[in-house]
Amino acid sequence: MLQTKRLRVLITSIMVITVIAFGISVNHAESKTLKVGYAVSILAHEWYQVVSRSAAMRAKELNVQLMLADANLDAMKQFKACENFINQQVDFLVISPVDPNVLVPIVKKANSAGIPVISEANVVKGAVTYIGIDNKKAGIKVGKWFGEYAKANNINPNILIIGQPWLPDCVWRVDGFKEGLQEVGCKYKIVNEVDGYGLKEKSFTVASPILEAHPEINVIFGINDNSALGAMAAYEAIGLDPSKLTVIGVGLEGIAGRSALAEG
């Protein structure tokens, strides 16, 4: 499982930069260094730290000038960053969207300027292609696994979901998780669903009052490592018994999740 996740990080960054480097080079002199603007949704997420770092390494290998802009989950800030990249006449624009709908006009502007756009994690209308996993299938797979696990271990799941409901890929993970539980006939209760913004500190904050009010919660589902780990820390902080808790996340994107898994 760890090897699969590392491979996904590597494939994502290599695919983005390789598609750019070789897809555009036919239209440029061999001596020209391609310029790529990458508008990241939030570099505070460990996933995007890994992707950006790997992309930078691959860009150096291919003699591609990679410029990064961190939106920090601000849709308009990302819009302006993309506009700035267009004004700088980049050869290619890569976007990990904060809000895919907000970016439609800027993608049109890029296309009008002859700048192809790749979207990562979420589809943006008008982009030439999308690179990412099938989040719905990933959620279903996790849900089916946990459903069987719960039945085998006599767990009556009372679930707290730490999501990011304004990002389509995160919604698909949650929907898939529920669908997977249903497919294997696992009876469960969703106690609450909250927005942790994909951040550990925020997830800790929003989970704490819910866990205090509902100590019967025995399952936490997080849309990424930080969501799951933040809520788990909140569970432990208020003195609940961690031996009664099952924590499920879609991630292992970096050190934090892998360390938590290795520690049991």
Side-chain angles (χ1 to χ4, degrees):
M1 186 173 181
L2 295 181
Q3 291 178 344
T4 301
K5 182 63 184 186
R6 292 192 190 101
L7 181 62
R8 181 162 74 85
V9 173
L10 182 62
I11 287 174
T12 298
S13 55
I14 287 178
M15 282 182 68
V16 169
I17 299 303
T18 303
V19 165
I20 291 167
F22 293 105
I24 303 178
S25 61
V26 295
N27 297 317
H28 293 73
E30 290 184 3
S31 60
K32 177 174 179 178
T33 299
L34 298 174
K35 292 193 300 182
V36 177
Y38 181 20
V40 187
S41 58
I42 178 169
L43 277 173
H45 283 188
E46 197 170 9
W47 164 252
Y48 286 113
Q49 293 171 15
V50 174
V51 169
S52 298
R53 187 166 57 246
S54 301
M57 291 170 60
R58 185 62 172 162
K60 185 177 180 179
E61 291 175 8
L62 296 173
N63 193 32
V64 171
Q65 181 185 353
L66 180 65
M67 298 176 286
L68 295 175
D70 179 14
N72 197 29
L73 294 182
D74 185 327
M76 290 311 301
K77 183 178 179 180
Q78 186 170 58
F79 185 98
K80 292 176 182 177
C82 292
E83 193 168 43
N84 186 46
F85 284 142
I86 293 170
N87 292 336
Q88 293 181 65
Q89 298 180 325
V90 295
D91 296 297
F92 219 100
L93 179 59
V94 182
I95 309 174
S96 298
V98 175
D99 186 333
N101 295 323
V102 169
L103 293 168
V104 173
I106 203 68
V107 172
K108 288 182 179 179
K109 185 174 181 178
N111 290 336
S112 297
I115 300 172
V117 179
I118 284 179
S119 68
E120 182 273 340
N122 283 289
V123 175
V124 180
K125 185 178 179 180
V128 295
T129 192
Y130 155 76
I131 294 176
I133 65 171
D134 187 324
N135 288 280
K136 183 70 174 292
K137 286 184 178 179
I140 291 173
K141 187 173 183 179
V142 172
K144 290 173 70 173
W145 172 84
F146 175 68
E148 296 291 3
Y149 177 85
K151 290 191 295 182
N153 290 275
N154 297 315
I155 296 173
N156 182 26
N158 292 296
I159 305 172
L160 170 61
I161 293 177
I162 311 293
Q164 209 167 343
W166 38 276
L167 278 180
D169 59 333
C170 297
V171 173
W172 295 329
R173 292 175 192 180
V174 173
D175 289 348
F177 176 64
K178 295 175 183 176
E179 187 174 319
L181 289 171
Q182 293 163 7
E183 282 190 20
V184 297
C186 176
K187 295 181 179 179
Y188 66 94
K189 177 183 178 182
I190 303 296
V191 177
N192 211 326
E193 296 187 46
V194 293
D195 184 359
Y197 283 78
L199 300 172
K200 186 174 182 179
E201 296 79 8
K202 181 69 173 178
S203 297
F204 180 96
T205 299
V206 298
S208 294
I210 297 168
L211 291 167
E212 288 179 349
H214 297 279
E216 74 276 13
I217 289 173
N218 57 355
V219 179
I220 292 170
F221 175 82
I223 50 87
N224 68 354
D225 289 0
N226 282 333
S227 300
L229 294 175
M232 181 175 72
Y235 186 94
E236 294 174 339
I238 62 177
L240 297 174
D241 184 356
S243 68
K244 297 179 179 180
L245 178 67
T246 303
V247 180
I248 305 162
V250 180
L252 291 181
E253 60 257 30
I255 296 172
R258 294 200 297 270
S259 296
L261 183 63
E263 292 169 2

